[in-house]
Amino acid sequence: MKLKIVVVLTMLFMGVWAMASAQESLETIAAPDSIQAAPLPEPAKELSAKDAPDDHGHAIDVTWAKSPDDGERLKNVIGYIVYRAANPDGPFEARSGLLLGTTSYTDAGALNEGENDFMPDYQDYYYRVRAMTQDSTVFADSDIFGPVQSYGQWYDKGKTAVLLLVAGFLFLTIFFISKARGGAELYVRRLAGIEAVDEAIGRATEMGKPILYVLGLGTAADIATIASYTILGRVAKKVAEYQTGLIVPCYDPIVMTVAQETVRTAYLDAGRPDAFNQDMVYFVTNQQFAYVAGVNGVMLRERPATNLYMGKFYAESLILAETGVVAGSIQISGTDEISQIPFFVVACDYTLIGEELYAASAYLGKEPLLLGSLKAQDYAKAGVIILAVIGFISLMLGYHDFVDFFHVTG
Amino acid sequence: MSNIGLIISLIVIAIGLLWLFILSLRGKEVERRIIFLFIGLSVSVPLLFNITFSEKATPIVMDVFNKVENLPAGSKILLSYDYGPSMAPEVEPMSNAFLRHALAKGHRVYVMCLWATGQSLAATAIDSVVKKDFPDKVYGVDYINIGFKAGGTGVLNVIITDFRKMYLTDVDGRDLDSLPIFNGIRSLKDMDLLISIGGGYPGVKEWILFAGSQGNIPTAGGCAAVSAPLLYPYYPKQMVGLLGGIKGAAEYESQLKKVYKRFEKSPTPGIKMMGPQTLAHLIVMAFIVIGNISYFVSKRKRS
Amino acid sequence: MADSKRISKIILAAVIAFFLISWIIKGLAIHDEDSVLWFSVRDAFLITLAAFLTLAIFSFLYKDNPYYKFAENLFVGVSAAYWMCVGFWSTIIGNMLPNLSESLSSTFGVPYKGFNIFYIVPLILGILLLMRLSSKAGWISRWALAWIVGTTAGLNLVRYLRTDFISQVSNTFVPLLVDWKGFGAFYSGLSLASTGQFVMTLSNWVIFIGVFSGLIYFFFSKEHKGFFGVASKVGIWVLMITFGASFGYTVMGRVSLLVGRLTYLFKDWLGLIS
Amino acid sequence: MKRQLPLMLVFVFGFAMIIQYFIPHQASEWVNAFFMDWMMIIGVFALALGIWSLTKVSWDKVKYKKSNWQYAIVTLAGLFLMIFFGFDYFRHFSTPVGSNNYMYVKFYQHIVIPIQSTMFSLLAFFIASAAYRAFRARSLLATLLLIAALVIMLRFNPLLGPLQPIMEDFSVWLLNVPNLAAKRAIVIGVGLGMVATALKVILGIERAYLGKD
């Protein structure tokens, strides 16, 4: 009996003491040594949950308002844990770790049945948030929210900016192409690197030496490689007309297949299908530096008059270009790989920088259809500049919605 | 003996450059193979003869050093190995230097990793540094390796309130509570300094944002040269200091050598790597100058 | 002619002798009482082989020569086969087979995942691609190519827009006056610290003008005259400064690579440094 | 059939992939995952074509005794030895998927890796020779290139003394600010070029790669 009284009294005393010390300052509470039983905090309020928007389903966004004791009053709430159950009566299981400094959480589960933590769509869930204190046995549960279901969406609203851009650009391209089809004259400024291509083919013909065309390390999935095919097509056609040799060593086997088809077409167009030989376009290996070693060998032994590097290049760019200098070839390069442009600029005679690579095919073809798309690109760039100015002004005026619109999620 | 070799090779390089310089004054071009030869020499001579340049620590490195130095002995320092083998040559010298400095100063060192690949690297580093230079330090008392836990920033979110929610044992499966070094350690907030080594994701930036700033704990970092520019904006407000690339490592190592005589003989891979770097940079710059001279001389000759 | 042939033969003999001796010395150096003789011989051979190949590639810096040609051709052959094997084991056996055939899966010891009809498609497309080898039915392979080109074009069109394009555009929206509190505060707080107001504001202006003039430089349908001429000139200046800076910055990384290689030669092979 | 069907396939699949991007639904992710898988598998079939091409070109060299034909034998030997080791599986049914053949691994470690890293390290030499040749104050543009490179390289120079920290700060600024602006301009341009090229391919305006007959 006596013992019980002592215990109760001690606990009471400790409770009062803890409350008093809790109100002193945050530091005392946060101190790791404070293991006294803290008073019960108020639970989190205004709990709500809804399907996570713009996703593949299997996730629910949970939000709540801070407990009054979080940062104010008792100042003993340090974080929250989100609990979920399939029934309002439970059992509830913890879905998050201890969440600090936030009042929202996305409860996401696995997508497929049979996986760990599978969270089926179109099923009722009930949520509860537990406000935690320094002492893990002292906490307060919020009211239960539910039922709520998760499901996947068919349109991602966060990507509207991309959709608008694609649609706008598609419209611009089609508009200028149809204008060009109608016979409108479209001006295009000269690009030294592209004019040099014609000269270089002529030079190779005079010297009776072949032309080396390197498609780079891009795979068939790189658009730079697609742009390079079209340039290869134009070059191959001229080569076929002039009856010069062409060597195309390839890094990616799919790229090789497409390049073979491209060169064959070009020879057909030039009216010289007999001169086409499948082995002009051949596979070396798909290991970066082994490929470089092979191409270096070709440069020094076949001594091509002109080397064209068009497509995606990585660290090997400088090895190729410097070996080409040693071999005494004229070199024209083009890549959209920003880190490699400096090396090409330094070591090659002409370099197509970034977008110029994509413009090159239109230039070489001089087809109105292709020139139309260049015009569309210019208008889009003008649009970007205008957007940047609007963005700057709206930031000055403190209007952030405009800028936020361009922060694409997902 | 090696000194004579070193002096001879440096004289050869210097005379060679001088000769090329004189040739360039006559408008002559240097053959590319001669350039290659000089580059080869500029890298192999420092490697063979162990040339080192005295590195003076820049403020951003000095701040890290002073922080470690000025903490009272017995402070708790957490070292996170957030890198893999490909980044290791650049950042491993840093983690070794930190480890040496902290243990020499008598701090307690807690090692962990946010990268799975860091775990074995950390284990070998501890073996090679601690066992050799600090045979008297006791595992579990002076230092500990708690290893890797998956989750990246999620791990940080948890251990900032409670280590034991993530880590129950050390890397070898020993109960944390049985190891004296973890007595009274509840969370990251009990640490006196956090150091993350590695510039990838998760790395220094995440430590700053999710641990250092969150819990108001001093945070320092070491990273590869490529990622250093991205981290400068956090200095000095949110980051104590930063070791950027092999140069940062070399600066720290030389400062360490200056203050602690006992490390005079310790390996300094950072400083060692800087020898070839500095010499090669000088050679490249010298050739740029020579190229310009011969260009202008021959241009004047023509006109 | 005959002379140069004799000289190259002598060189060949010298090279072979040199590396044989190196092999023997290396073998003696790494062999001790506890190790099996055959293992020491083998390991010494592999280290010497790697050193020979390293030097053969370096010899290319002098000029093209038979040793480089040998290393180059060996490298091409071995690496092509290497990736072929990796692709076969990891993709065909590891990925396709478990979705098609139970008996074949068990033959190769991979867990069978159940028949999935969708894995017939790549098999068919792959076979269509192989039709290229036939001169008559080669055109059929274009169907597979068309699928690849179409899919990748569509895939990359939007993904590139999102990851690079839009994020770069939105990051260009920077305040041109950082923490602006009037001219008085600006002058009194003027400092060259990298996080100071002056440097931040200046940096944002440089970024804005740099992006703007860079974009003007890439205009194709406007002649570079007048305003466009000036802007595109500024654009190419900024581009050139950037290229120079990137070039200078890369020297460090490249020297590190050479240090790594020479360390192999001096340390692992010759044992000159510890 | 030879030309119309491929063009249609490009159009249909191109647009399908664009639309797929905007659908977050699980079904759309599922399609994407399958397509990526297929691409990998087709890639291996293509690799067989590549090996065929390499073998044929090398074999022709040997057969017609073209210049340097002896080295083509080295290529073929390396190729087939490595393939033999790589498919050695059939004699050792106990190994797990992938090739763990001892010789296969050793060939990779002692032939491929050393040559690869040596080729990579050649860059240290080439970067010097390129700098010597190209960094000359020929024109305003070349001078800008030269000065920027020198400023960045100088940050390493212990001879600079007290100037070194300033040089370092300046080079960091150069890398962070003008560098960022120029890269941004390039990336934006490249983005538009890519979209234009991809659209041209999808719409069938650009069709050089599809052959003609």
Side-chain angles (χ1 to χ4, degrees), chain B residues 1-11 44-52, chain C residues 272-274:
Chain B
M1 181 60 207
S2 76
N3 272 340
I4 299 170
L6 169 63
I7 291 166
I8 291 175
S9 12
L10 283 184
I11 288 175
S44 41
V45 166
L47 266 185
L48 285 173
F49 299 112
N50 217 349
I51 299 187
T52 51
Chain C
L272 287 178
I273 50 176
S274 53

Side-chain angles (χ1 to χ4, degrees), chain B residues 29-109:
Chain B
E29 290 289 326
V30 182
E31 226 235 322
R32 106 195 113 78
R33 281 167 220 172
I34 294 176
I35 303 178
F36 292 163
L37 182 70
F38 271 89
I39 289 292
L41 283 177
S42 72
V43 174
S44 41
V45 166
L47 266 185
L48 285 173
F49 299 112
N50 217 349
I51 299 187
T52 51
F53 293 88
S54 74
E55 294 285 339
K56 206 180 159 311
T58 44
I60 194 166
V61 172
M62 205 58 204
D63 284 350
V64 187
F65 187 89
N66 286 340
K67 182 79 199 175
V68 177
E69 188 64 25
N70 296 339
L71 283 171
S75 295
K76 289 151 285 201
I77 295 184
L78 184 132
L79 269 184
S80 185
Y81 285 59
D82 308 329
Y83 57 87
S86 65
M87 221 191 287
E90 234 181 318
V91 297
E92 203 161 71
M94 301 174 192
S95 45
N96 288 350
F98 284 137
L99 206 52
R100 281 206 178 87
H101 189 189
L103 288 176
K105 183 75 198 167
H107 297 318
R108 283 180 269 170
V109 180

Side-chain angles (χ1 to χ4, degrees), chain C:
Chain C
M1 192 64 211
D3 250 13
S4 77
K5 250 196 177 152
R6 230 180 63 201
I7 291 170
S8 59
K9 264 184 193 161
I10 292 170
I11 293 176
L12 179 66
V15 167
I16 291 176
F18 175 73
F19 281 97
L20 276 179
I21 292 168
S22 144
W23 178 12
I24 294 166
I25 294 175
K26 190 80 215 170
L28 291 173
I30 59 175
H31 185 69
D32 56 31
E33 285 159 19
D34 307 333
S35 50
V36 184
L37 178 67
W38 154 240
F39 286 165
S40 305
V41 172
R42 185 193 65 196
D43 291 346
F45 172 75
L46 289 173
I47 292 171
T48 315
L49 173 70
F52 165 71
L53 292 171
T54 302
L55 288 173
I57 296 290
F58 276 140
S59 73
F60 173 74
L61 290 170
Y62 181 68
K63 67 175 197 186
D64 193 24
N65 63 67
Y67 304 98
Y68 174 75
K69 287 180 198 166
F70 175 82
E72 170 211 318
N73 282 278
L74 183 68
F75 190 22
V76 166
V78 170
S79 66
Y82 177 79
W83 287 108
M84 178 73 212
C85 296
V86 168
F88 179 79
W89 291 114
S90 67
T91 307
I92 300 289
I93 301 298
N95 195 356
M96 190 175 85
L97 223 51
N99 292 299
L100 287 180
S101 157
E102 186 164 11
S103 61
L104 276 177
S105 299
S106 68
T107 309
F108 286 99
V110 283
Y112 180 57
K113 289 189 197 154
F115 181 75
N116 190 336
I117 194 156
F118 293 102
Y119 281 87
I120 298 276
V121 183
L123 187 66
I124 294 172
L125 287 173
I127 291 169
L128 288 184
L129 204 61
L130 289 180
M131 296 297 269
R132 288 195 67 76
L133 295 176
S134 137
S135 52
K136 272 200 188 131
W139 56 272
I140 292 182
S141 68
R142 281 182 211 158
W143 295 355
L145 293 183
W147 180 81
I148 294 170
V149 172
T151 311
T152 53
L155 191 73
N156 285 311
L157 190 153
V158 272
R159 277 176 189 54
Y160 193 86
L161 261 188
R162 183 218 153 328
T163 51
D164 285 336
F165 182 79
I166 295 196
S167 61
Q168 293 295 340
V169 172
S170 64
N171 286 337
T172 308
F173 302 155
V174 287
L176 291 183
L177 301 170
V178 179
D179 298 333
W180 192 251
K181 292 183 190 83
F183 278 104
F186 182 75
Y187 283 121
S188 61
L190 197 66
S191 89
L192 278 174
S194 59
T195 47
Q197 188 188 16
F198 173 72
V199 174
M200 296 273 271
T201 303
L202 177 77
S203 302
N204 282 355
W205 272 98
V206 171
I207 289 177
F208 183 74
I209 292 173
V211 173
F212 176 82
S213 54
L215 282 177
I216 299 269
Y217 170 77
F218 285 116
F219 267 63
F220 298 108
S221 60
K222 273 268 175 274
E223 212 167 341
H224 284 175
K225 267 186 187 163
F227 170 71
F228 279 88
V230 175
S232 68
K233 212 167 241 168
V234 175
I236 191 78
W237 289 348
V238 177
L239 287 182
M240 282 301 159
I241 291 174
T242 303
F243 295 156
S246 308
F247 191 102
Y249 194 71
T250 319
V251 175
M252 177 172 69
R254 303 305 184 234
V255 170
S256 296
L257 293 169
L258 184 58
V259 170
R261 235 24 237 160
L262 290 180
T263 308
Y264 176 83
L265 288 181
F266 294 151
K267 190 173 150 193
D268 298 4
W269 181 46
L270 295 176
L272 287 178
I273 50 176
S274 53

